[in-house]
Amino acid sequence: MADALAELAAQLRVDSIRATTAAGSGHPSSSMSAADIVAVLFQKYLRFDFQHPHAPDNDRFVLSKGHACPVLYAAFKAAGAIDDAELLSLRQLGSRLEGHPNPHVLPLVDVATGSLGQGLAIGVGMALASRLDQRPSRVYVMMGDSEMAEGSVWEAFDKASHYKLDGLCALIDMNRLGQTGETELGWNGEAYAARARAFGWHALTVDGHDLEAIDHALAAALATTGQPTCLVFKTEKGHGYSLIANQEGWHGKALSKDQARDAIQELGGERHVRIDVKKPEAGRPEKKPAAAPLKLPRYTADEKVATRKVYGDALRALSDAHPEVIALDAEVSNSTFSEELREAHPQRYFEMYIAEQNMVATGVGMAVLGKRVFVSTFAAFLTRAYDQIRMAAVSNATLHLCGSHAGVSIGEDGPSQMGLEDLAMMRAVCDSTVLYPCDANQTARLMAQLVDRPGISYLRTTRAKTPVLYAASEEFPIGGSKVLRRSDRDVATVVAAGITLHEALEAHARLQDQGISVCVIDLYSVKPVDTKTLRQAARETQGRLVVVEDHWAEGGLADAVLEAFTDGAEPLPTVKRLAVRKMPGSGKPEELLNAAGIDAQHIVQAVLAMKDTSVSTGAPEAPRKRPPARPAH
């Protein structure tokens, strides 16, 4: 068996060189250091059905050091999952074998990696999901020593120990060299192991090129109970080719054809080793629990309810109806109200404490294993997890994010707590959905749609209690909007969402007292945006739009509105942006809305200033015959 493993490891190195040299780029040296570990793991320990990569009892392998994907692709070839021609298509346009693993094109991997420091947290999520489903599968996460400098890694170490995830094994490829030189700890394996032990892990240091030692370490991990295992493998970057082994300057650098020829010769030539990766033992048949009828909360017109409270109410209703719904929160569940799910289904609530990066990546790990994951914290604190959010989109994950306490309307807590960039941030995520409800029934109905919506979604909720505007039976299609006020005498259109929608309605009433009418649009769907309604309103109000938002002026509601006019099919309207433009402070919500220039008073002023301004956009004046907007109830 030792000779067979040695041959397999040599083949993984050779194929990593062949693929990267054919591509003219890539990371052969980082792949070569990990080859012995991958060989033993795939040949003896990993249980994986390559014909059914998403089978629930499969072990999971996460290559957190995603730049070393050539060795993973080489292992796929050895297992018969890809052929040699595909291996040599590495990094070519249209190839499934991209420069870092990407499940969009390669279903053999669960998640996208390469933004370092995220793989272990994803593994935490996978291990939690497997435990929740009572599956025997194990999770192996291969990490680079450079990424051990990331704080998010230690968040994951902490949470894995907290939840006693003995089905999780971290494999640290300690090859000493990073991109620009030696890593922080070099080959000090005991320092890594001591840190892991301090977080409550079982940890061992291992010679990462001694196949027998690797075998014994993986067996020890398999036998460990009650705590996760960290195996610190001392390896050599570029191991197997004397020209580059343990030499600086070879990170992310492919060998030339002549160098590749010499390296392959030094490694003993090309091989054609095939391995039979064992399939998992037959477990419980995968049977998704049937969904129960959804009973959404309903609110009446005489109530004032904060949309953050409705997030919790609706989340509990969704969890009652869908057994796959779970919630993660960052120790603010009594403010986001995700605690309502915890009270109803404690086994499906996971406290991530003040570790937002770990929380989002853990949610990704759960989501790719079939959970319907809702993640909540203050909107401001999701900004620190933005890399994890964008990588969730690259991973093709479905993740529902809720950011509460958004905007200056939170009041006295001040700007450190005010999410003022979240709409811009979330609109920029690939294929994301961004929603900003203004009342209770709207929030509940939107939540009911999110539970089945693929991709990354974001729900912005507010701290203040606001009046109920809509009946519980009202429909709110994603991509739509609501015209709440309309007449045949409107001089402008006011577009708002969330907290500023209530200011817009107050401004409408004040303008009515002066004999002036405006159209008021509730743009609850910020992405996708309701292009049709916005264009019609612009035509009907001579191209005059006032957009008011509790958000920085850049990238939020106004930019979403303007995108409805950028294809040239309609003249660009005149848009007056009312947004937060100066750093806010502490104060009463109404004081801060006024200071930012986004309250009813400032909306009235903006309309009056715009009313007599000639419009040079060429927008035609629409026929003035139209029915008034129906009341909200």
mmCIF file with all atom_site columns, all heavy atoms in Angstrom, residues 420-428 434 526-527 549 551-561 563 577 579:
data_model
loop_
_atom_site.group_PDB
_atom_site.id
_atom_site.type_symbol
_atom_site.label_atom_id
_atom_site.label_alt_id
_atom_site.label_comp_id
_atom_site.label_asym_id
_atom_site.label_entity_id
_atom_site.label_seq_id
_atom_site.pdbx_PDB_ins_code
_atom_site.Cartn_x
_atom_site.Cartn_y
_atom_site.Cartn_z
_atom_site.occupancy
_atom_site.B_iso_or_equiv
_atom_site.pdbx_formal_charge
_atom_site.auth_seq_id
_atom_site.auth_comp_id
_atom_site.auth_asym_id
_atom_site.auth_atom_id
_atom_site.pdbx_PDB_model_num
ATOM 1   N N   . LEU A 1 420 ? -25.376 52.452 6.612   1.00 0.00 ? 420 LEU A N   1
ATOM 2   C CA  . LEU A 1 420 ? -25.646 53.500 5.626   1.00 0.00 ? 420 LEU A CA  1
ATOM 3   C C   . LEU A 1 420 ? -25.059 53.181 4.255   1.00 0.00 ? 420 LEU A C   1
ATOM 4   O O   . LEU A 1 420 ? -25.209 53.972 3.328   1.00 0.00 ? 420 LEU A O   1
ATOM 5   C CB  . LEU A 1 420 ? -25.076 54.844 6.112   1.00 0.00 ? 420 LEU A CB  1
ATOM 6   C CG  . LEU A 1 420 ? -25.842 55.497 7.261   1.00 0.00 ? 420 LEU A CG  1
ATOM 7   C CD1 . LEU A 1 420 ? -25.041 56.635 7.866   1.00 0.00 ? 420 LEU A CD1 1
ATOM 8   C CD2 . LEU A 1 420 ? -27.201 56.001 6.769   1.00 0.00 ? 420 LEU A CD2 1
ATOM 9   N N   . GLU A 1 421 ? -24.393 52.046 4.142   1.00 0.00 ? 421 GLU A N   1
ATOM 10  C CA  . GLU A 1 421 ? -23.810 51.637 2.876   1.00 0.00 ? 421 GLU A CA  1
ATOM 11  C C   . GLU A 1 421 ? -24.301 50.271 2.425   1.00 0.00 ? 421 GLU A C   1
ATOM 12  O O   . GLU A 1 421 ? -23.869 49.741 1.416   1.00 0.00 ? 421 GLU A O   1
ATOM 13  C CB  . GLU A 1 421 ? -22.284 51.622 2.959   1.00 0.00 ? 421 GLU A CB  1
ATOM 14  C CG  . GLU A 1 421 ? -21.689 50.893 4.153   1.00 0.00 ? 421 GLU A CG  1
ATOM 15  C CD  . GLU A 1 421 ? -21.786 51.674 5.442   1.00 0.00 ? 421 GLU A CD  1
ATOM 16  O OE1 . GLU A 1 421 ? -21.192 52.759 5.532   1.00 0.00 ? 421 GLU A OE1 1
ATOM 17  O OE2 . GLU A 1 421 ? -22.465 51.191 6.368   1.00 0.00 ? 421 GLU A OE2 1
ATOM 18  N N   . ASP A 1 422 ? -25.256 49.701 3.190   1.00 0.00 ? 422 ASP A N   1
ATOM 19  C CA  . ASP A 1 422 ? -25.632 48.309 2.967   1.00 0.00 ? 422 ASP A CA  1
ATOM 20  C C   . ASP A 1 422 ? -26.356 48.082 1.649   1.00 0.00 ? 422 ASP A C   1
ATOM 21  O O   . ASP A 1 422 ? -26.169 47.049 1.000   1.00 0.00 ? 422 ASP A O   1
ATOM 22  C CB  . ASP A 1 422 ? -26.470 47.787 4.138   1.00 0.00 ? 422 ASP A CB  1
ATOM 23  C CG  . ASP A 1 422 ? -27.686 48.654 4.432   1.00 0.00 ? 422 ASP A CG  1
ATOM 24  O OD1 . ASP A 1 422 ? -27.575 49.886 4.375   1.00 0.00 ? 422 ASP A OD1 1
ATOM 25  O OD2 . ASP A 1 422 ? -28.763 48.096 4.731   1.00 0.00 ? 422 ASP A OD2 1
ATOM 26  N N   . LEU A 1 423 ? -27.199 49.029 1.219   1.00 0.00 ? 423 LEU A N   1
ATOM 27  C CA  . LEU A 1 423 ? -27.895 48.835 -0.052  1.00 0.00 ? 423 LEU A CA  1
ATOM 28  C C   . LEU A 1 423 ? -26.904 48.804 -1.203  1.00 0.00 ? 423 LEU A C   1
ATOM 29  O O   . LEU A 1 423 ? -26.996 47.954 -2.112  1.00 0.00 ? 423 LEU A O   1
ATOM 30  C CB  . LEU A 1 423 ? -28.935 49.938 -0.271  1.00 0.00 ? 423 LEU A CB  1
ATOM 31  C CG  . LEU A 1 423 ? -30.118 49.960 0.697   1.00 0.00 ? 423 LEU A CG  1
ATOM 32  C CD1 . LEU A 1 423 ? -31.041 51.128 0.377   1.00 0.00 ? 423 LEU A CD1 1
ATOM 33  C CD2 . LEU A 1 423 ? -30.893 48.649 0.658   1.00 0.00 ? 423 LEU A CD2 1
ATOM 34  N N   . ALA A 1 424 ? -25.954 49.724 -1.194  1.00 0.00 ? 424 ALA A N   1
ATOM 35  C CA  . ALA A 1 424 ? -24.934 49.738 -2.243  1.00 0.00 ? 424 ALA A CA  1
ATOM 36  C C   . ALA A 1 424 ? -24.136 48.446 -2.228  1.00 0.00 ? 424 ALA A C   1
ATOM 37  O O   . ALA A 1 424 ? -23.862 47.840 -3.272  1.00 0.00 ? 424 ALA A O   1
ATOM 38  C CB  . ALA A 1 424 ? -24.014 50.943 -2.052  1.00 0.00 ? 424 ALA A CB  1
ATOM 39  N N   . MET A 1 425 ? -23.754 48.019 -1.036  1.00 0.00 ? 425 MET A N   1
ATOM 40  C CA  . MET A 1 425 ? -22.964 46.801 -0.878  1.00 0.00 ? 425 MET A CA  1
ATOM 41  C C   . MET A 1 425 ? -23.699 45.588 -1.431  1.00 0.00 ? 425 MET A C   1
ATOM 42  O O   . MET A 1 425 ? -23.141 44.793 -2.202  1.00 0.00 ? 425 MET A O   1
ATOM 43  C CB  . MET A 1 425 ? -22.667 46.614 0.608   1.00 0.00 ? 425 MET A CB  1
ATOM 44  C CG  . MET A 1 425 ? -21.899 45.367 0.965   1.00 0.00 ? 425 MET A CG  1
ATOM 45  S SD  . MET A 1 425 ? -21.540 45.288 2.728   1.00 0.00 ? 425 MET A SD  1
ATOM 46  C CE  . MET A 1 425 ? -23.099 44.670 3.377   1.00 0.00 ? 425 MET A CE  1
ATOM 47  N N   . MET A 1 426 ? -24.962 45.438 -1.067  1.00 0.00 ? 426 MET A N   1
ATOM 48  C CA  . MET A 1 426 ? -25.698 44.247 -1.468  1.00 0.00 ? 426 MET A CA  1
ATOM 49  C C   . MET A 1 426 ? -26.162 44.301 -2.913  1.00 0.00 ? 426 MET A C   1
ATOM 50  O O   . MET A 1 426 ? -26.281 43.266 -3.572  1.00 0.00 ? 426 MET A O   1
ATOM 51  C CB  . MET A 1 426 ? -26.886 44.028 -0.531  1.00 0.00 ? 426 MET A CB  1
ATOM 52  C CG  . MET A 1 426 ? -26.490 43.702 0.897   1.00 0.00 ? 426 MET A CG  1
ATOM 53  S SD  . MET A 1 426 ? -25.330 42.316 1.059   1.00 0.00 ? 426 MET A SD  1
ATOM 54  C CE  . MET A 1 426 ? -26.191 41.048 0.147   1.00 0.00 ? 426 MET A CE  1
ATOM 55  N N   . ARG A 1 427 ? -26.426 45.497 -3.441  1.00 0.00 ? 427 ARG A N   1
ATOM 56  C CA  . ARG A 1 427 ? -26.774 45.609 -4.856  1.00 0.00 ? 427 ARG A CA  1
ATOM 57  C C   . ARG A 1 427 ? -25.627 45.160 -5.749  1.00 0.00 ? 427 ARG A C   1
ATOM 58  O O   . ARG A 1 427 ? -25.842 44.698 -6.874  1.00 0.00 ? 427 ARG A O   1
ATOM 59  C CB  . ARG A 1 427 ? -27.165 47.046 -5.213  1.00 0.00 ? 427 ARG A CB  1
ATOM 60  C CG  . ARG A 1 427 ? -28.523 47.474 -4.690  1.00 0.00 ? 427 ARG A CG  1
ATOM 61  C CD  . ARG A 1 427 ? -28.842 48.915 -5.062  1.00 0.00 ? 427 ARG A CD  1
ATOM 62  N NE  . ARG A 1 427 ? -28.893 49.100 -6.496  1.00 0.00 ? 427 ARG A NE  1
ATOM 63  C CZ  . ARG A 1 427 ? -28.109 49.925 -7.202  1.00 0.00 ? 427 ARG A CZ  1
ATOM 64  N NH1 . ARG A 1 427 ? -27.207 50.669 -6.587  1.00 0.00 ? 427 ARG A NH1 1
ATOM 65  N NH2 . ARG A 1 427 ? -28.233 50.015 -8.502  1.00 0.00 ? 427 ARG A NH2 1
ATOM 66  N N   . ALA A 1 428 ? -24.397 45.300 -5.259  1.00 0.00 ? 428 ALA A N   1
ATOM 67  C CA  . ALA A 1 428 ? -23.225 44.961 -6.069  1.00 0.00 ? 428 ALA A CA  1
ATOM 68  C C   . ALA A 1 428 ? -22.927 43.470 -6.116  1.00 0.00 ? 428 ALA A C   1
ATOM 69  O O   . ALA A 1 428 ? -22.072 43.039 -6.887  1.00 0.00 ? 428 ALA A O   1
ATOM 70  C CB  . ALA A 1 428 ? -22.003 45.716 -5.538  1.00 0.00 ? 428 ALA A CB  1
ATOM 71  N N   . VAL A 1 434 ? -32.413 42.524 -3.330  1.00 0.00 ? 434 VAL A N   1
ATOM 72  C CA  . VAL A 1 434 ? -32.315 43.497 -2.251  1.00 0.00 ? 434 VAL A CA  1
ATOM 73  C C   . VAL A 1 434 ? -33.694 44.093 -1.999  1.00 0.00 ? 434 VAL A C   1
ATOM 74  O O   . VAL A 1 434 ? -34.293 44.692 -2.900  1.00 0.00 ? 434 VAL A O   1
ATOM 75  C CB  . VAL A 1 434 ? -31.310 44.618 -2.585  1.00 0.00 ? 434 VAL A CB  1
ATOM 76  C CG1 . VAL A 1 434 ? -31.200 45.608 -1.432  1.00 0.00 ? 434 VAL A CG1 1
ATOM 77  C CG2 . VAL A 1 434 ? -29.947 44.026 -2.917  1.00 0.00 ? 434 VAL A CG2 1
ATOM 78  N N   . VAL A 1 526 ? -35.540 46.941 -4.253  1.00 0.00 ? 526 VAL A N   1
ATOM 79  C CA  . VAL A 1 526 ? -34.443 47.788 -4.711  1.00 0.00 ? 526 VAL A CA  1
ATOM 80  C C   . VAL A 1 526 ? -33.657 47.100 -5.817  1.00 0.00 ? 526 VAL A C   1
ATOM 81  O O   . VAL A 1 526 ? -33.124 47.739 -6.715  1.00 0.00 ? 526 VAL A O   1
ATOM 82  C CB  . VAL A 1 526 ? -33.537 48.139 -3.520  1.00 0.00 ? 526 VAL A CB  1
ATOM 83  C CG1 . VAL A 1 526 ? -32.407 49.072 -3.938  1.00 0.00 ? 526 VAL A CG1 1
ATOM 84  C CG2 . VAL A 1 526 ? -34.350 48.779 -2.395  1.00 0.00 ? 526 VAL A CG2 1
ATOM 85  N N   . LYS A 1 527 ? -33.581 45.787 -5.767  1.00 0.00 ? 527 LYS A N   1
ATOM 86  C CA  . LYS A 1 527 ? -32.986 44.972 -6.835  1.00 0.00 ? 527 LYS A CA  1
ATOM 87  C C   . LYS A 1 527 ? -33.674 43.627 -6.824  1.00 0.00 ? 527 LYS A C   1
ATOM 88  O O   . LYS A 1 527 ? -33.617 42.945 -5.784  1.00 0.00 ? 527 LYS A O   1
ATOM 89  C CB  . LYS A 1 527 ? -31.485 44.816 -6.632  1.00 0.00 ? 527 LYS A CB  1
ATOM 90  C CG  . LYS A 1 527 ? -30.803 43.983 -7.723  1.00 0.00 ? 527 LYS A CG  1
ATOM 91  C CD  . LYS A 1 527 ? -29.337 43.734 -7.394  1.00 0.00 ? 527 LYS A CD  1
ATOM 92  C CE  . LYS A 1 527 ? -28.677 42.875 -8.453  1.00 0.00 ? 527 LYS A CE  1
ATOM 93  N NZ  . LYS A 1 527 ? -27.281 42.520 -8.106  1.00 0.00 ? 527 LYS A NZ  1
ATOM 94  N N   . GLU A 1 549 ? -33.851 58.643 0.657   1.00 0.00 ? 549 GLU A N   1
ATOM 95  C CA  . GLU A 1 549 ? -33.362 57.382 1.223   1.00 0.00 ? 549 GLU A CA  1
ATOM 96  C C   . GLU A 1 549 ? -32.535 57.628 2.475   1.00 0.00 ? 549 GLU A C   1
ATOM 97  O O   . GLU A 1 549 ? -31.784 58.613 2.575   1.00 0.00 ? 549 GLU A O   1
ATOM 98  C CB  . GLU A 1 549 ? -32.523 56.621 0.200   1.00 0.00 ? 549 GLU A CB  1
ATOM 99  C CG  . GLU A 1 549 ? -31.360 57.405 -0.388  1.00 0.00 ? 549 GLU A CG  1
ATOM 100 C CD  . GLU A 1 549 ? -30.662 56.639 -1.497  1.00 0.00 ? 549 GLU A CD  1
ATOM 101 O OE1 . GLU A 1 549 ? -30.368 55.448 -1.297  1.00 0.00 ? 549 GLU A OE1 1
ATOM 102 O OE2 . GLU A 1 549 ? -30.424 57.235 -2.567  1.00 0.00 ? 549 GLU A OE2 1
ATOM 103 N N   . HIS A 1 551 ? -29.722 56.481 3.627   1.00 0.00 ? 551 HIS A N   1
ATOM 104 C CA  . HIS A 1 551 ? -28.556 55.757 3.121   1.00 0.00 ? 551 HIS A CA  1
ATOM 105 C C   . HIS A 1 551 ? -27.624 56.806 2.538   1.00 0.00 ? 551 HIS A C   1
ATOM 106 O O   . HIS A 1 551 ? -28.054 57.910 2.185   1.00 0.00 ? 551 HIS A O   1
ATOM 107 C CB  . HIS A 1 551 ? -29.023 54.772 2.025   1.00 0.00 ? 551 HIS A CB  1
ATOM 108 C CG  . HIS A 1 551 ? -27.977 53.832 1.506   1.00 0.00 ? 551 HIS A CG  1
ATOM 109 N ND1 . HIS A 1 551 ? -27.109 54.177 0.486   1.00 0.00 ? 551 HIS A ND1 1
ATOM 110 C CD2 . HIS A 1 551 ? -27.688 52.540 1.810   1.00 0.00 ? 551 HIS A CD2 1
ATOM 111 C CE1 . HIS A 1 551 ? -26.326 53.139 0.215   1.00 0.00 ? 551 HIS A CE1 1
ATOM 112 N NE2 . HIS A 1 551 ? -26.649 52.140 1.008   1.00 0.00 ? 551 HIS A NE2 1
ATOM 113 N N   . TRP A 1 552 ? -26.344 56.486 2.452   1.00 0.00 ? 552 TRP A N   1
ATOM 114 C CA  . TRP A 1 552 ? -25.463 57.401 1.750   1.00 0.00 ? 552 TRP A CA  1
ATOM 115 C C   . TRP A 1 552 ? -25.968 57.635 0.328   1.00 0.00 ? 552 TRP A C   1
ATOM 116 O O   . TRP A 1 552 ? -26.643 56.764 -0.250  1.00 0.00 ? 552 TRP A O   1
ATOM 117 C CB  . TRP A 1 552 ? -24.042 56.848 1.681   1.00 0.00 ? 552 TRP A CB  1
ATOM 118 C CG  . TRP A 1 552 ? -23.308 56.728 2.976   1.00 0.00 ? 552 TRP A CG  1
ATOM 119 C CD1 . TRP A 1 552 ? -22.733 55.608 3.481   1.00 0.00 ? 552 TRP A CD1 1
ATOM 120 C CD2 . TRP A 1 552 ? -23.027 57.767 3.929   1.00 0.00 ? 552 TRP A CD2 1
ATOM 121 N NE1 . TRP A 1 552 ? -22.125 55.860 4.691   1.00 0.00 ? 552 TRP A NE1 1
ATOM 122 C CE2 . TRP A 1 552 ? -22.284 57.189 4.987   1.00 0.00 ? 552 TRP A CE2 1
ATOM 123 C CE3 . TRP A 1 552 ? -23.340 59.130 4.007   1.00 0.00 ? 552 TRP A CE3 1
ATOM 124 C CZ2 . TRP A 1 552 ? -21.855 57.916 6.090   1.00 0.00 ? 552 TRP A CZ2 1
ATOM 125 C CZ3 . TRP A 1 552 ? -22.904 59.855 5.112   1.00 0.00 ? 552 TRP A CZ3 1
ATOM 126 C CH2 . TRP A 1 552 ? -22.175 59.259 6.130   1.00 0.00 ? 552 TRP A CH2 1
ATOM 127 N N   . ALA A 1 553 ? -25.598 58.763 -0.254  1.00 0.00 ? 553 ALA A N   1
ATOM 128 C CA  . ALA A 1 553 ? -26.088 59.108 -1.589  1.00 0.00 ? 553 ALA A CA  1
ATOM 129 C C   . ALA A 1 553 ? -25.564 58.161 -2.658  1.00 0.00 ? 553 ALA A C   1
ATOM 130 O O   . ALA A 1 553 ? -26.176 58.031 -3.727  1.00 0.00 ? 553 ALA A O   1
ATOM 131 C CB  . ALA A 1 553 ? -25.688 60.553 -1.925  1.00 0.00 ? 553 ALA A CB  1
ATOM 132 N N   . GLU A 1 554 ? -24.445 57.522 -2.387  1.00 0.00 ? 554 GLU A N   1
ATOM 133 C CA  . GLU A 1 554 ? -23.826 56.672 -3.399  1.00 0.00 ? 554 GLU A CA  1
ATOM 134 C C   . GLU A 1 554 ? -24.356 55.242 -3.346  1.00 0.00 ? 554 GLU A C   1
ATOM 135 O O   . GLU A 1 554 ? -24.325 54.603 -2.306  1.00 0.00 ? 554 GLU A O   1
ATOM 136 C CB  . GLU A 1 554 ? -22.300 56.642 -3.206  1.00 0.00 ? 554 GLU A CB  1
ATOM 137 C CG  . GLU A 1 554 ? -21.611 57.987 -3.379  1.00 0.00 ? 554 GLU A CG  1
ATOM 138 C CD  . GLU A 1 554 ? -21.668 58.866 -2.149  1.00 0.00 ? 554 GLU A CD  1
ATOM 139 O OE1 . GLU A 1 554 ? -22.111 58.370 -1.080  1.00 0.00 ? 554 GLU A OE1 1
ATOM 140 O OE2 . GLU A 1 554 ? -21.281 60.050 -2.256  1.00 0.00 ? 554 GLU A OE2 1
ATOM 141 N N   . GLY A 1 555 ? -24.810 54.749 -4.459  1.00 0.00 ? 555 GLY A N   1
ATOM 142 C CA  . GLY A 1 555 ? -25.077 53.321 -4.611  1.00 0.00 ? 555 GLY A CA  1
ATOM 143 C C   . GLY A 1 555 ? -26.392 52.801 -4.073  1.00 0.00 ? 555 GLY A C   1
ATOM 144 O O   . GLY A 1 555 ? -26.651 51.602 -4.159  1.00 0.00 ? 555 GLY A O   1
ATOM 145 N N   . GLY A 1 556 ? -27.236 53.666 -3.533  1.00 0.00 ? 556 GLY A N   1
ATOM 146 C CA  . GLY A 1 556 ? -28.456 53.187 -2.911  1.00 0.00 ? 556 GLY A CA  1
ATOM 147 C C   . GLY A 1 556 ? -29.679 53.305 -3.784  1.00 0.00 ? 556 GLY A C   1
ATOM 148 O O   . GLY A 1 556 ? -29.672 52.953 -4.970  1.00 0.00 ? 556 GLY A O   1
ATOM 149 N N   . LEU A 1 557 ? -30.759 53.843 -3.199  1.00 0.00 ? 557 LEU A N   1
ATOM 150 C CA  . LEU A 1 557 ? -32.058 53.860 -3.864  1.00 0.00 ? 557 LEU A CA  1
ATOM 151 C C   . LEU A 1 557 ? -32.037 54.706 -5.139  1.00 0.00 ? 557 LEU A C   1
ATOM 152 O O   . LEU A 1 557 ? -32.584 54.291 -6.175  1.00 0.00 ? 557 LEU A O   1
ATOM 153 C CB  . LEU A 1 557 ? -33.104 54.396 -2.883  1.00 0.00 ? 557 LEU A CB  1
ATOM 154 C CG  . LEU A 1 557 ? -34.554 53.978 -3.121  1.00 0.00 ? 557 LEU A CG  1
ATOM 155 C CD1 . LEU A 1 557 ? -34.698 52.473 -2.961  1.00 0.00 ? 557 LEU A CD1 1
ATOM 156 C CD2 . LEU A 1 557 ? -35.475 54.704 -2.146  1.00 0.00 ? 557 LEU A CD2 1
ATOM 157 N N   . ALA A 1 558 ? -31.421 55.885 -5.077  1.00 0.00 ? 558 ALA A N   1
ATOM 158 C CA  . ALA A 1 558 ? -31.426 56.760 -6.247  1.00 0.00 ? 558 ALA A CA  1
ATOM 159 C C   . ALA A 1 558 ? -30.686 56.129 -7.413  1.00 0.00 ? 558 ALA A C   1
ATOM 160 O O   . ALA A 1 558 ? -31.122 56.238 -8.572  1.00 0.00 ? 558 ALA A O   1
ATOM 161 C CB  . ALA A 1 558 ? -30.816 58.113 -5.901  1.00 0.00 ? 558 ALA A CB  1
ATOM 162 N N   . ASP A 1 559 ? -29.572 55.477 -7.140  1.00 0.00 ? 559 ASP A N   1
ATOM 163 C CA  . ASP A 1 559 ? -28.854 54.818 -8.231  1.00 0.00 ? 559 ASP A CA  1
ATOM 164 C C   . ASP A 1 559 ? -29.658 53.661 -8.806  1.00 0.00 ? 559 ASP A C   1
ATOM 165 O O   . ASP A 1 559 ? -29.623 53.406 -10.013 1.00 0.00 ? 559 ASP A O   1
ATOM 166 C CB  . ASP A 1 559 ? -27.493 54.323 -7.735  1.00 0.00 ? 559 ASP A CB  1
ATOM 167 C CG  . ASP A 1 559 ? -26.474 55.445 -7.650  1.00 0.00 ? 559 ASP A CG  1
ATOM 168 O OD1 . ASP A 1 559 ? -26.739 56.527 -8.207  1.00 0.00 ? 559 ASP A OD1 1
ATOM 169 O OD2 . ASP A 1 559 ? -25.417 55.244 -7.020  1.00 0.00 ? 559 ASP A OD2 1
ATOM 170 N N   . ALA A 1 560 ? -30.393 52.961 -7.955  1.00 0.00 ? 560 ALA A N   1
ATOM 171 C CA  . ALA A 1 560 ? -31.273 51.901 -8.461  1.00 0.00 ? 560 ALA A CA  1
ATOM 172 C C   . ALA A 1 560 ? -32.353 52.485 -9.359  1.00 0.00 ? 560 ALA A C   1
ATOM 173 O O   . ALA A 1 560 ? -32.696 51.907 -10.408 1.00 0.00 ? 560 ALA A O   1
ATOM 174 C CB  . ALA A 1 560 ? -31.912 51.154 -7.285  1.00 0.00 ? 560 ALA A CB  1
ATOM 175 N N   . VAL A 1 561 ? -32.903 53.652 -8.981  1.00 0.00 ? 561 VAL A N   1
ATOM 176 C CA  . VAL A 1 561 ? -33.921 54.305 -9.799  1.00 0.00 ? 561 VAL A CA  1
ATOM 177 C C   . VAL A 1 561 ? -33.340 54.714 -11.143 1.00 0.00 ? 561 VAL A C   1
ATOM 178 O O   . VAL A 1 561 ? -33.940 54.486 -12.203 1.00 0.00 ? 561 VAL A O   1
ATOM 179 C CB  . VAL A 1 561 ? -34.492 55.535 -9.062  1.00 0.00 ? 561 VAL A CB  1
ATOM 180 C CG1 . VAL A 1 561 ? -35.337 56.388 -9.997  1.00 0.00 ? 561 VAL A CG1 1
ATOM 181 C CG2 . VAL A 1 561 ? -35.325 55.083 -7.863  1.00 0.00 ? 561 VAL A CG2 1
ATOM 182 N N   . GLU A 1 563 ? -30.980 53.461 -12.806 1.00 0.00 ? 563 GLU A N   1
ATOM 183 C CA  . GLU A 1 563 ? -30.702 52.323 -13.680 1.00 0.00 ? 563 GLU A CA  1
ATOM 184 C C   . GLU A 1 563 ? -31.904 51.966 -14.549 1.00 0.00 ? 563 GLU A C   1
ATOM 185 O O   . GLU A 1 563 ? -31.749 51.331 -15.594 1.00 0.00 ? 563 GLU A O   1
ATOM 186 C CB  . GLU A 1 563 ? -30.267 51.120 -12.853 1.00 0.00 ? 563 GLU A CB  1
ATOM 187 C CG  . GLU A 1 563 ? -28.851 51.249 -12.321 1.00 0.00 ? 563 GLU A CG  1
ATOM 188 C CD  . GLU A 1 563 ? -28.394 50.027 -11.551 1.00 0.00 ? 563 GLU A CD  1
ATOM 189 O OE1 . GLU A 1 563 ? -29.137 49.015 -11.538 1.00 0.00 ? 563 GLU A OE1 1
ATOM 190 O OE2 . GLU A 1 563 ? -27.308 50.082 -10.953 1.00 0.00 ? 563 GLU A OE2 1
ATOM 191 N N   . ARG A 1 577 ? -31.870 64.004 -5.429  1.00 0.00 ? 577 ARG A N   1
ATOM 192 C CA  . ARG A 1 577 ? -31.505 62.983 -4.458  1.00 0.00 ? 577 ARG A CA  1
ATOM 193 C C   . ARG A 1 577 ? -31.540 63.580 -3.055  1.00 0.00 ? 577 ARG A C   1
ATOM 194 O O   . ARG A 1 577 ? -30.806 64.520 -2.756  1.00 0.00 ? 577 ARG A O   1
ATOM 195 C CB  . ARG A 1 577 ? -30.099 62.458 -4.717  1.00 0.00 ? 577 ARG A CB  1
ATOM 196 C CG  . ARG A 1 577 ? -29.884 61.737 -6.032  1.00 0.00 ? 577 ARG A CG  1
ATOM 197 C CD  . ARG A 1 577 ? -28.392 61.481 -6.205  1.00 0.00 ? 577 ARG A CD  1
ATOM 198 N NE  . ARG A 1 577 ? -28.096 60.766 -7.433  1.00 0.00 ? 577 ARG A NE  1
ATOM 199 C CZ  . ARG A 1 577 ? -27.514 59.560 -7.479  1.00 0.00 ? 577 ARG A CZ  1
ATOM 200 N NH1 . ARG A 1 577 ? -27.180 58.946 -6.359  1.00 0.00 ? 577 ARG A NH1 1
ATOM 201 N NH2 . ARG A 1 577 ? -27.252 58.990 -8.637  1.00 0.00 ? 577 ARG A NH2 1
ATOM 202 N N   . ALA A 1 579 ? -30.538 62.258 0.448   1.00 0.00 ? 579 ALA A N   1
ATOM 203 C CA  . ALA A 1 579 ? -29.832 61.137 1.058   1.00 0.00 ? 579 ALA A CA  1
ATOM 204 C C   . ALA A 1 579 ? -28.929 61.673 2.148   1.00 0.00 ? 579 ALA A C   1
ATOM 205 O O   . ALA A 1 579 ? -28.743 62.887 2.300   1.00 0.00 ? 579 ALA A O   1
ATOM 206 C CB  . ALA A 1 579 ? -29.026 60.376 0.007   1.00 0.00 ? 579 ALA A CB  1
#
